Amino acid sequence: MGTQYVIDLAEVDDRQTATVGGKGAHLGALARIGDVHVPAGFCVTTDAYRHIVAEMPSLVDRLDRLGRLSPDDQEGIRTVSAEIRRAIEGIAVPDDLAEAVTRALARTGERAAYAVRSSATAEDQPTASFAGQQDTYLNVVGAAEILRHITRCWASVFTERAVVYRRRNGVDHRTVHMAVVVQRMVLPDAAGILFTADPVTGDRKTATVDAGFGLGEALVSGLVNPDVFTVRDGAVVGRTIAAKERAVYALPGGGTEDVTVDARRQKEPSLTDDQVVELVRIGRRIEAHFGRPQDIEWCLTGDGFHIVQSRPITTLFPVPERKDGAGDGPENRVYVSVGHQQMMTDAMKPLGYSLWQRTAMVDMYEAGGRLFVDVTPRLAAPDTRAALLDVIGKGDPLTRDALETVIDRGDFAALTPPDGAEAPAGPPPAAATAPPTAPDTGPDLGPDPAIVAELIARSEASVAALERDIRTKAGPELFDFLDEAFVEHKKVLSDPLSFRALMAGMDATWWLNDKLREWLGETNAADTLTLSAPDNITSEMGLALLDVADAVRPHPEVVAYLQGVEDEDFLTSGELAALPGGAEARNAIEAYLDRYGARCVGEIDITRPRWRERPTALVPVILDNVRNFGPGAAAHRFEQGRRKAAEKEHDVLTRLRALPDGDAKAEETKRMIDRVRSFIGYREYPKYGIIQRYFVYKQALLGEAERLVGAGVLAEKEDIFHLTFDELRDVVRTHRLDDAGLVQRRKDDFRWHEELTPPRVLTSDGEALTGAYRRDDVPEGALTGLAVSAGTIEGRARVILDIADADLEAGDILVTTFTDPSWSPLFVAVAGLVTEVGGLMTHGAVIAREYGLPAVVGVEKATRLIRDGQRIRVHGTSGYVEILS
């Protein structure tokens, strides 16, 4: 079959994206849906575009130049892309292509007006719509003008906005080809956009319609505010009628004009309710055909609605897919984000989330590369609802508020328990590592340090046995062994004594804060009483890096060498050890990695590079410590915290004894102080044990990946990260990847997931809820959060999203999205902490209290509202942040 430059739109289907682009393929598919009217037309194929490009040898050099530019080099992109556009627009359309277009126009109406629309192969995809990145021209009349506008569409592949968008979505400019859709022009009475899911809340059962008079261009360009209709269950449930002063209409000879709407019509609805409901009915048919919510452009004429475009809404957070059938039909579900509890809200790759699912103590469901727990049964049952809200509220008030929003609305079916339903057993799944059922807590644990020592010894023995036994396992036998290892993993997590030790420290913290507020008017007294608590593996990790700095600081040549380090093999290359003091520095870093090298940012995702794999991530923090501290800082800081805690204890007990019944209050308080200091440090250890085990699993699985790459089954080792655990088991067993495109699709999905913001609470209707602080004690303009570590501090905000980008000075305040344990080495170098995610007992809060840093967590959009370098004041006792400059 020869080259085909033109295809009639009626012959196109959604499998022809490579030939007619995303928009053309969608329009062809739309035209095949019953009761959906799509204006007639044809597509100028990507073969035509490739033919044109092949005639321009200079384009290759310009594309090379463009590919080397950073997405942030606006001036360079502007210059090179303008050169490419001018060259494409200036090319003569070949005779055979011009003839094919002329013949197509003869079939559809030579004298008619047309819309000439760009249709790139990378647009209207499920994970990236590329909406508005290329150009559309309306009301084009005559073959010569249509051909001229086709070349303008080709050139619009290289608009500045399209180039930047592609670079940020990982799309190579050379892989994008442009088709052009030429469609009969619809001259509408009204036009607009239909979203088959609420684009703000994500609710899949609510549709919204934006509408205005004339062509939709008036709405798209922002010329007028639209009428907005909200539709649910086949009825209009909300409407806002705007004053539509302007409209865009087609001119008889071609082109469009902006006109003033007659004053008597400006506040009239552009659609009747019946028309809105009919439009949404059409939209639901389109949505069902494509299998996902759609953003639909429509026009209304005397003969009904015409659909001129439909693309997936790529900004919606996906709904968890369940194989058990729950969430389908009338029983709705409510999900709580695991990432907001585990301080890791980034997207995870399939191997990461599937392994966490296998080793967690509660069932979890994936959506958007994140994990969620279904809390519906507990929320529905009055007997367990209060306990769920109490535990979640202590961890994250915003999540509690989001859940209460769902409850208070009273319109979510699953929250009405069926008659005779029993309350679910066990504690609420407030954390991903919580046991599924409450162990017998037995009598209160006394402040016995031997208990924590015993628990740590058990964990270390379990990890050592895992490391020993896994060495001989390979192939399918490895996966059978891992199944057994996961059983042991859960056994360690559900150890009743471990659970009692965790709860002893947290309960004592809450008791001290509540009682000392009641008796002495103290706010968050436990923050000081827990300073430098023993056995906290995470705070020890931060202090230990100060000791590493002590080994580096005396040796200027070592410091200079580390400032230029880029290769991950710098510890083994020999260059460092050859420097004066280099062997001592290398040994100190190696010893640190032996103890903490399994950790990293986002460590619950096994696919993230560990510090042992990427030691350069620690170098900026070591150098900050060299610059900002003197010798012996670790021991000094720990002793300073211990002394402050002792002074606070003496002060509190002295004041209590002066109260009525003071001796009894002081005695009870002393018992709780001893308990919190014995057990609060252990709060951090179970996670450390999990991450140690994860690194052992990962090393074994990467060994399998090397064998698969060697056998030609996979292109690179990291491809296994884009397979689930069960998929990887099958590939190892069969030495075959049946779906050749699976890894690439998963990589594309991951890039999409990275762009999504996960909600704290998600319903099976797709509604994403973030929650709100309902407080009136925060100054105007301040950012509200949760107070987790007392004190007030002013300083320079350092907005840091990656620990490897740390560049801190004394007095700086760390502002970031979340802090898991891997961030604690930065805590020794800062004066305060602000995070977007966190709760009273999450890692960042615990370590901030240990180090005595004023801290506010759960500050929505903190990294966007606070600019790097601004001066801020953190109110760690009251829970808000002021931006001072």
Side-chain angles (χ1 to χ4, degrees):
M1 185 171 132
T3 302
Q4 190 171 15
Y5 288 149
V6 172
I7 302 177
D8 192 276
L9 199 56
E11 299 173 10
V12 171
D13 62 36
D14 52 7
R15 294 169 297 182
Q16 293 174 269
T17 300
T19 302
V20 298
K23 186 181 284 107
H26 270 71
L27 285 167
L30 281 167
R32 293 166 180 261
I33 305 172
D35 295 337
V36 175
H37 301 292
V38 176
F42 57 89
C43 296
V44 178
T45 67
T46 53
D47 285 340
Y49 174 80
R50 275 189 284 266
H51 178 60
I52 290 292
V53 168
E55 299 295 312
M56 300 174 59
S58 63
L59 186 61
V60 176
D61 293 337
R62 289 180 174 130
L63 284 175
D64 286 340
R65 284 168 56 200
L66 198 59
R68 289 193 295 269
L69 294 173
S70 161
D72 299 319
D73 184 358
Q74 294 182 349
E75 188 57 40
I77 289 173
R78 184 178 299 119
T79 300
V80 178
S81 59
E83 288 177 15
I84 295 173
R85 288 197 306 276
R86 283 196 297 272
I88 293 174
E89 286 182 10
I91 199 162
V93 176
D95 291 343
D96 52 351
L97 173 57
E99 184 181 339
V101 170
T102 303
R103 282 199 306 270
L105 288 172
R107 290 193 301 271
T108 52
E110 289 179 86
R111 300 180 183 280
Y114 287 84
V116 182
R117 314 173 71 191
S118 304
S119 181
T121 52
E123 72 181 44
D124 291 353
Q125 300 300 306
T127 58
S129 73
F130 289 77
Q133 299 310 313
Q134 284 89 33
D135 291 339
T136 287
Y137 303 97
L138 301 178
N139 207 37
V140 182
V141 178
E145 279 298 289
I146 287 170
L147 287 168
R148 185 171 72 85
H149 283 85
I150 287 171
T151 63
R152 293 181 70 184
C153 283
W154 288 333
S156 74
V157 173
F158 297 100
T159 61
E160 185 182 344
R161 64 182 182 274
V163 168
V164 171
Y165 190 94
R166 283 197 296 272
R167 287 294 301 272
R168 292 193 169 145
N169 280 276
V171 177
D172 188 336
H173 304 303
R174 295 176 184 80
T175 66
V176 178
H177 302 294
M178 179 65 81
V180 180
V181 176
V182 181
Q183 269 181 297
R184 285 286 297 258
M185 189 72 189
V186 176
L187 305 178
D189 302 317
I193 310 290
L194 160 63
F195 296 97
T196 64
D198 189 314
V200 177
T201 69
D203 188 345
R204 270 46 167 196
K205 291 188 177 178
T206 299
T208 63
V209 176
D210 289 4
F213 296 126
L215 292 167
E217 192 66 19
L219 305 187
V220 174
S221 65
L223 187 64
V224 296
N225 292 323
D227 295 338
V228 180
F229 302 88
T230 304
V231 178
R232 190 175 177 89
D233 297 327
V236 175
V237 295
R239 66 178 64 73
T240 302
I241 307 303
K244 300 169 288 297
E245 297 178 357
R246 315 289 296 174
V248 174
Y249 288 98
L251 290 168
T256 61
E257 67 173 341
D258 164 13
V259 302
T260 301
V261 176
D262 186 286
R264 291 169 295 182
R265 294 190 64 212
Q266 288 178 4
K267 293 190 177 181
E268 288 182 8
S270 46
L271 296 177
T272 67
D273 282 7
D274 286 346
Q275 288 171 330
V276 170
V277 170
E278 169 65 12
L279 176 61
V280 171
R281 186 191 66 78
I282 295 169
R284 292 291 182 214
R285 289 183 65 86
I286 295 170
E287 178 184 66
H289 176 84
F290 289 116
R292 64 186 68 234
Q294 298 286 302
D295 162 0
I296 298 168
E297 295 181 23
W298 56 269
C299 297
L300 177 66
T301 66
D303 60 351
F305 286 103
H306 299 260
I307 305 302
V308 295
Q309 187 162 325
S310 183
R311 62 170 71 94
I313 308 175
T314 59
T315 55
L316 298 179
F317 200 87
V319 177
E321 291 187 16
R322 300 178 57 137
K323 295 183 175 65
D324 55 12
D328 299 330
E331 187 183 6
N332 301 308
R333 315 302 293 181
V334 183
Y335 299 94
V336 169
S337 163
V338 171
H340 286 83
Q341 301 155 15
Q342 284 298 319
M343 301 302 98
M344 216 298 275
T345 55
D346 290 349
M348 299 168 72
K349 298 186 179 84
L351 188 61
Y353 64 68
S354 64
L355 206 70
W356 192 260
Q357 285 173 308
R358 279 181 165 267
T359 53
M361 302 304 296
V362 294
D363 289 337
M364 295 180 180
Y365 305 92
E366 182 272 335
R370 279 78 168 189
L371 291 171
F372 294 85
V373 174
D374 182 356
V375 296
T376 315
R378 297 177 181 281
L379 213 56
D383 292 347
T384 55
R385 179 182 297 173
L388 174 73
L389 293 174
D390 181 56
V391 171
I392 282 181
K394 285 177 176 175
D396 182 3
L398 290 175
T399 300
R400 174 176 181 144
D401 182 80
L403 289 174
E404 288 177 331
T405 298
V406 176
I407 295 166
D408 292 345
R409 276 201 319 240
D411 61 353
F412 211 69
L415 299 187
T416 304
D419 292 339
E422 294 184 7
T433 55
T437 57
D440 177 15
T441 55
D444 287 344
L445 293 179
D448 182 0
I451 294 173
V452 171
E454 177 188 346
L455 288 167
I456 291 173
R458 286 186 198 176
S459 178
E460 289 178 342
S462 176
V463 173
L466 174 66
E467 290 176 327
R468 180 190 66 239
D469 296 342
I470 205 170
R471 289 180 191 138
T472 59
K473 306 298 187 291
E477 185 187 6
L478 170 66
F479 287 83
D480 294 339
F481 173 82
L482 285 173
D483 284 338
E484 297 174 7
F486 297 159
V487 173
E488 170 66 13
H489 185 119
K490 291 186 178 183
K491 182 180 174 184
V492 171
L493 282 182
S494 59
D495 182 341
L497 183 61
S498 176
F499 183 79
R500 288 170 61 196
L502 286 171
M503 293 310 301
M506 291 193 286
D507 285 343
T509 299
W510 294 325
W511 188 96
L512 286 166
N513 281 336
D514 290 345
K515 291 298 183 182
L516 296 181
R517 184 185 298 112
E518 177 188 342
W519 292 338
L520 298 177
E522 288 269 358
T523 301
N524 298 336
D527 293 1
T528 306
L529 293 167
T530 54
L531 289 171
S532 296
D535 298 314
N536 188 317
I537 189 73
T538 307
S539 62
E540 289 169 3
M541 182 171 69
L543 296 174
L545 210 58
L546 288 174
D547 292 333
V548 172
D550 286 352
V552 171
R553 189 181 295 104
H555 309 294
E557 289 177 69
V558 171
V559 173
Y561 174 79
L562 291 178
Q563 286 171 338
V565 158
E566 292 182 358
D567 295 331
E568 299 300 342
D569 64 352
F570 74 94
L571 292 170
T572 56
S573 67
E575 294 179 11
L576 175 59
L579 299 172
E584 180 187 351
R586 183 199 61 193
N587 291 341
I589 297 171
E590 285 283 4
Y592 186 87
L593 291 173
D594 288 344
R595 178 71 165 147
Y596 305 110
R599 311 214 83 154
C600 67
V601 175
E603 61 191 8
I604 71 169
D605 182 354
I606 196 174
T607 72
R608 292 290 191 102
R610 313 284 128 176
W611 288 339
R612 171 54 79 183
E613 297 169 307
R614 189 175 290 176
T616 56
L618 290 172
V619 170
V621 191
I622 295 170
L623 293 173
D624 282 347
N625 289 347
V626 167
R627 185 174 67 249
N628 294 330
F629 296 95
H636 173 73
R637 285 177 68 97
F638 187 83
E639 177 57 26
Q640 187 180 46
R642 191 199 62 76
R643 191 166 58 248
K644 283 183 179 179
E647 291 169 356
K648 184 68 172 180
E649 176 182 329
H650 179 268
D651 171 63
V652 163
L653 296 179
T654 300
R655 290 161 61 197
L656 284 174
R657 291 189 184 102
L659 299 176
D661 199 23
D663 287 343
K665 290 173 179 172
E667 182 180 347
E668 193 175 7
T669 299
K670 170 61 175 167
R671 189 166 65 251
M672 288 296 181
I673 291 173
D674 289 345
R675 186 184 299 175
V676 82
R677 290 196 66 78
S678 293
F679 294 112
I680 198 63
Y682 181 69
R683 164 72 179 79
E684 294 293 296
Y685 199 88
K687 179 84 169 281
Y688 173 72
I690 292 171
I691 299 310
Q692 283 183 300
R693 298 180 73 88
Y694 263 39
F695 193 34
V696 179
Y697 304 153
K698 180 178 187 179
Q699 289 171 305
L701 292 172
L702 283 174
E704 294 302 314
E706 286 183 5
R707 287 185 276 277
L708 291 170
V709 171
V713 178
L714 296 178
E716 52 189 17
K717 285 196 308 181
E718 289 74 17
D719 283 353
I720 69 166
F721 297 160
H722 297 281
L723 303 174
T724 66
F725 182 81
D726 286 337
E727 289 167 345
L728 178 57
R729 184 202 295 262
D730 287 342
V731 172
V732 168
R733 178 176 54 81
T734 63
H735 258 229
R736 187 176 68 246
L737 183 60
D738 291 330
D739 184 346
L742 178 62
V743 169
Q744 185 56 53
R745 290 200 305 277
R746 292 279 175 78
K747 289 178 179 180
D748 293 341
D749 286 344
F750 181 70
R751 279 195 293 269
W752 170 45
H753 293 160
E754 286 183 300
E755 299 297 317
L756 299 173
T757 300
R760 284 175 162 81
V761 171
L762 184 65
T763 73
S764 52
D765 285 351
E767 186 178 8
L769 296 101
T770 299
Y773 294 105
R774 308 194 185 275
R775 295 173 52 183
D776 55 10
D777 61 339
V778 175
E780 186 176 353
L783 308 180
T784 307
L786 177 64
V788 295
S789 186
T792 301
I793 192 72
E794 287 185 22
R796 179 181 68 157
R798 290 310 320 275
V799 180
I800 299 175
L801 303 181
D802 185 338
I803 191 172
D805 296 331
D807 181 14
L808 298 166
E809 296 178 2
D812 283 349
I813 296 170
L814 174 61
V815 180
T816 190
T817 312
F818 59 81
T819 59
D820 60 12
S822 68
W823 286 79
S824 63
L826 292 189
F827 284 24
V828 299
V830 297
L833 173 69
V834 179
T835 69
E836 294 181 350
V837 178
L840 191 62
M841 283 298 170
T842 49
H843 304 281
V846 171
I847 306 308
R849 291 194 291 271
E850 290 255 341
Y851 288 169
L853 301 178
V856 180
V857 302
V859 180
E860 273 291 286
K861 302 179 181 176
T863 59
R864 283 170 279 180
L865 297 174
I866 299 171
R867 294 194 307 276
D868 187 54
Q870 281 187 311
R871 192 161 186 83
I872 63 173
R873 182 184 297 128
V874 177
H875 294 264
T877 305
S878 303
Y880 62 89
V881 180
E882 292 180 285
I883 300 175
L884 305 178
S885 66

